[in-house]
Amino acid sequence: MNIYKRRKIINAFMCSATFICATITLLPLISIFIYVLSKGASSLNISFFTHLPRPVGEPGGGMGNAILGTLTLIGLTCLWAIPVGVLSGVYLAEFGNNKFGAVVRFSADLLNGVPSIVIGIFAYILFVVPMKTFSALSGAFALGLIMIPTVMRTTEEILLLVPRTIREAALALGISQFRMTISIVLKTALPGIVTGILLAIARIAGETAPLLFTALGNEFWQRGIMQPIAAMPLQIFAYAISPFDDWHRQAWAASFVLITIIFLMNFISRLVIYLQRKSLKAK
Amino acid sequence: MEKVKVEGLNAYFSNIHALKGINISIKEKKVTAIIGPSGCGKSTFIRCINRLHEVVPHAKVSGRILFDGKDIYSSAIDPIEIRRRIGMVFQRPNPFPVLSIYDNVAAGLKLNGMKRKDDLDEIVEKTLKMAALWDEVKNKLNASGVSLSGGQQQRLCIARTLAVKPEVILFDEPCSALDPISTAKIEELIFQLKENYTIIIVTHNMQQAARVSDYTSFFLLGELVEFGKTQDIFTAPKDKRTEAYITGRFG
């Protein structure tokens, strides 16, 4: 066998190996989705979205409170995590070329690696213990700690992609650094930042551990942010470990809804990028 | 009348000494060309004049640049004001990609707080006409600035610079990324602009310097070798190095 033939065979083998590995990464997602769809879709109906859970044994009921609770938690989290995340990302990209910036960057990466259960306990000690109540607020605090590093680092990376020539053009027009950053650089980077935010939301939407010690969960409709609040991941957790078939079905349905929400988030974020690119080309 | 007087200017990038003791005086409403081989400090020099050099990390400047008799590096002077009065057109056309043609021209005014639509409309039209671009874009002012051709983009950048009403305009090799026809248009524009503006143009192209400028300075390795009337520099250079560069023996 000559050397060329051998190389060809090795080449073919290695190429197939990469393809097979790529397929392996695809399989879990597809199988999860199909499985959850087949188990959960059948239990979906209008009352699932609008009704409260029923006691054990009574058929019907829904997860309206958990769906609303998850949306509330996401909203509350975004309220503080997006400004903090985006602005700290701006700091890192525009002024963070120093020791402090390096420290912040490193801490953000570490925070990103802190197990979410630990973040939950931290929020419990900081909020729940002194306030003497589980609350939506403490849940939003815990989720924010998970969201901020992601938003911050994507914002920084996207801002650094804006070419220096664009910044210099703005400065050369006598535009202040603040206006340049807000009106030119952030605007240029906006689709990327929005994508980062949507992906971060998709991530926190499914978080369970940080909510166990903070939002706690709630069988009823929420009554303000200083009270315990229901959330889909919590409800799934509670129902899945219960011994009742009816609750299992509900848990599957909730999993399906949650996954769909996360898929939609991802899809929208990609759509945002696509539309932005298209509108720039078409003009 | 001298508009800009440079006295003992030194510029550094961390420990690289990019400009060494430059003294030059730029006449008002004339075109001064800066020629020299790559890396001789031409661009650095004009970036010192609008205080853009210091934006680069680890860049430093010493010496004085008098603009209408006032040192632009004195601590009482805000670089933002200097950049408004001394505009700059860059080597590669760099319109703001997310802004429309209209907003590109209006950016310098809008982002400095000018809001009246009528005034903005008037200035946008006037400066686009001055930049000889109005007829080509008047029907698509809302299109993206980057949808234009390279030469049009560069004229858009000139219009954008004119809109903030500078007194001096710095051109940093404005034609090096353009084809000969666009180049001719820009040169013609520079010729018209010198009636009202003081112009400093960095160029690699010696014919261009000869065509558009009244004065020429020759830079080499961060030093100003020779400065004089363009005619004199090109026909009777005093320095041997200038002569060698102009006749194409190096560079």
Side-chain angles (χ1 to χ4, degrees):
Chain A
M1 190 160 66
N2 70 32
I3 186 159
Y4 295 106
K5 208 165 181 183
R6 210 177 75 205
R7 282 182 183 173
K8 247 184 174 169
I9 292 170
I10 294 175
N11 182 49
F13 175 75
M14 292 311 288
C15 285
S16 343
T18 61
F19 177 77
I20 291 166
C21 289
T23 316
I24 290 174
T25 62
L26 203 62
L27 278 176
L29 180 71
I30 296 176
S31 31
I32 287 175
F33 192 70
I34 292 174
Y35 196 66
V36 172
L37 180 76
S38 65
K39 287 274 199 176
S42 56
S43 311
L44 277 183
N45 49 35
I46 299 288
S47 63
F48 180 83
F49 291 96
T50 53
H51 281 60
L52 285 178
R54 291 267 172 84
V56 190
E58 272 184 50
M63 283 200 186
N65 61 336
I67 294 171
L68 186 67
T70 285
L71 294 179
T72 310
L73 281 168
I74 289 175
L76 280 175
T77 308
C78 289
L79 227 48
W80 80 281
I82 290 178
V84 173
V86 170
L87 287 181
S88 52
V90 168
Y91 175 83
L92 287 184
E94 303 294 324
F95 318 99
N97 205 354
N98 51 29
K99 269 223 175 85
F100 180 66
V103 171
V104 173
R105 224 169 267 129
F106 186 61
S107 326
D109 291 345
L110 283 183
L111 184 60
N112 210 4
V114 172
S116 55
I117 186 85
V118 176
I119 286 179
I121 294 170
F122 176 64
Y124 173 80
I125 290 167
L126 208 65
F127 272 76
V128 178
V129 173
M131 288 177 176
K132 297 195 176 66
T133 171
F134 294 97
S135 62
L137 199 69
S138 57
F141 173 74
L143 291 179
L145 291 184
I146 295 169
M147 186 169 173
I148 285 171
T150 317
V151 173
M152 172 169 138
R153 294 292 265 147
T154 27
T155 303
E156 182 198 1
E157 274 159 34
I158 302 283
L159 287 181
L160 288 178
L161 287 180
V162 175
R164 224 185 63 184
T165 54
I166 300 288
R167 294 161 206 264
E168 289 193 341
L171 290 176
L173 287 172
I175 295 169
S176 66
Q177 190 169 15
F178 169 71
R179 296 276 1 170
M180 173 196 81
T181 307
I182 300 294
S183 304
I184 305 286
V185 179
L186 266 184
K187 203 170 173 182
T188 309
L190 196 62
I193 294 172
V194 170
T195 309
I197 290 172
L198 287 172
L199 292 176
I201 291 176
R203 155 103 200 266
I204 60 158
E207 282 289 349
T208 320
L211 298 180
L212 288 172
F213 299 99
T214 53
L216 188 67
N218 189 338
E219 294 289 298
F220 307 99
W221 294 105
Q222 60 209 54
R223 287 170 309 165
I225 58 171
M226 296 312 292
Q227 300 288 325
I229 190 169
M232 298 184 72
L234 286 176
Q235 204 87 340
I236 293 169
F237 178 65
Y239 276 24
I241 58 172
S242 78
F244 314 112
D245 282 346
D246 203 34
W247 281 18
H248 289 166
R249 273 196 295 281
Q250 295 274 47
W252 280 116
S255 306
F256 175 66
V257 172
L258 194 55
I259 288 181
T260 309
I261 291 175
I262 292 169
F263 273 16
L264 275 178
M265 284 282 186
N266 277 284
F267 178 72
I268 292 170
S269 68
R270 274 165 182 61
L271 195 69
V272 169
I273 304 181
Y274 172 76
L275 288 179
Q276 167 85 11
R277 284 198 186 136
K278 205 175 138 193
S279 77
L280 277 179
K281 268 183 204 155
K283 274 177 187 168
Chain B
M1 257 287 283
E2 64 185 30
K3 187 74 179 170
V4 179
K5 192 167 177 14
V6 178
E7 294 178 346
L9 180 74
N10 288 286
Y12 308 83
F13 292 102
S14 23
N15 50 10
I16 298 163
H17 197 171
L19 287 175
K20 300 166 188 163
I22 307 293
N23 293 293
I24 197 170
S25 114
I26 309 287
K27 299 276 186 298
E28 188 168 15
K29 294 183 184 171
K30 298 284 179 200
V31 178
T32 303
I34 299 181
I35 59 171
S38 298
C40 68
K42 307 184 295 286
S43 294
T44 307
F45 173 67
I46 64 165
R47 289 167 61 93
C48 288
I49 298 177
N50 70 343
R51 295 195 59 174
L52 208 54
H53 176 66
E54 68 205 50
V55 173
V56 179
H58 310 298
K60 273 188 318 209
V61 178
S62 70
R64 299 209 301 166
I65 296 181
L66 302 175
F67 175 48
D68 282 343
K70 276 188 203 152
D71 185 6
I72 63 166
Y73 280 99
S74 100
S75 56
I77 301 273
D78 186 351
I80 288 173
E81 187 208 331
I82 292 302
R83 294 183 196 131
R84 228 171 279 175
R85 293 172 64 195
I86 305 180
M88 186 168 199
V89 177
F90 293 80
Q91 188 169 357
R92 296 201 148 270
N94 54 356
F96 302 122
V98 284
L99 299 188
S100 65
I101 292 174
Y102 181 98
D103 281 335
N104 259 284
V105 181
L109 301 167
K110 267 189 172 173
L111 299 183
N112 278 319
M114 186 166 160
K115 295 222 170 65
R116 284 200 44 199
K117 183 95 172 65
D118 295 351
D119 296 348
L120 286 173
D121 285 351
E122 194 189 314
I123 293 173
V124 167
E125 180 172 344
K126 196 178 113 199
T127 50
L128 280 172
K129 277 180 176 159
M130 284 168 76
L133 190 60
W134 176 251
D135 289 332
E136 292 157 64
V137 301
K138 64 183 173 194
N139 295 322
K140 51 170 182 174
L141 290 173
N142 288 321
S144 160
V146 287
S147 67
L148 300 172
S149 75
Q152 289 174 324
Q153 286 188 19
Q154 195 62 305
R155 277 178 283 148
L156 179 64
C157 293
I158 293 175
R160 174 175 77 183
T161 305
L162 292 173
V164 284
K165 298 208 177 81
E167 297 154 50
V168 177
I169 304 177
L170 310 169
F171 286 90
D172 187 1
E173 296 184 43
C175 304
S176 64
L178 305 181
D179 66 83
I181 294 170
S182 305
T183 301
K185 280 188 184 161
I186 304 270
E187 283 182 14
E188 197 181 320
L189 204 57
I190 291 172
F191 207 77
Q192 287 164 7
L193 289 174
K194 77 170 179 181
E195 278 185 31
N196 299 307
Y197 301 90
T198 305
I199 290 171
I200 304 175
I201 175 170
V202 168
T203 177
H204 259 296
N205 179 331
M206 274 175 282
Q207 285 79 17
Q208 184 171 60
R211 282 193 300 264
V212 301
S213 69
D214 304 296
Y215 295 89
T216 296
S217 55
F218 172 58
F219 278 61
L220 187 63
L221 302 170
E223 286 175 53
L224 175 63
V225 174
E226 193 168 352
F227 174 61
K229 288 209 161 111
T230 299
Q231 213 180 343
D232 299 340
I233 295 277
F234 280 93
T235 53
K238 294 193 188 73
D239 195 293
K240 281 220 163 63
R241 291 168 293 175
T242 316
E243 192 185 352
Y245 182 70
I246 287 170
T247 52
R249 263 178 275 152
F250 76 91

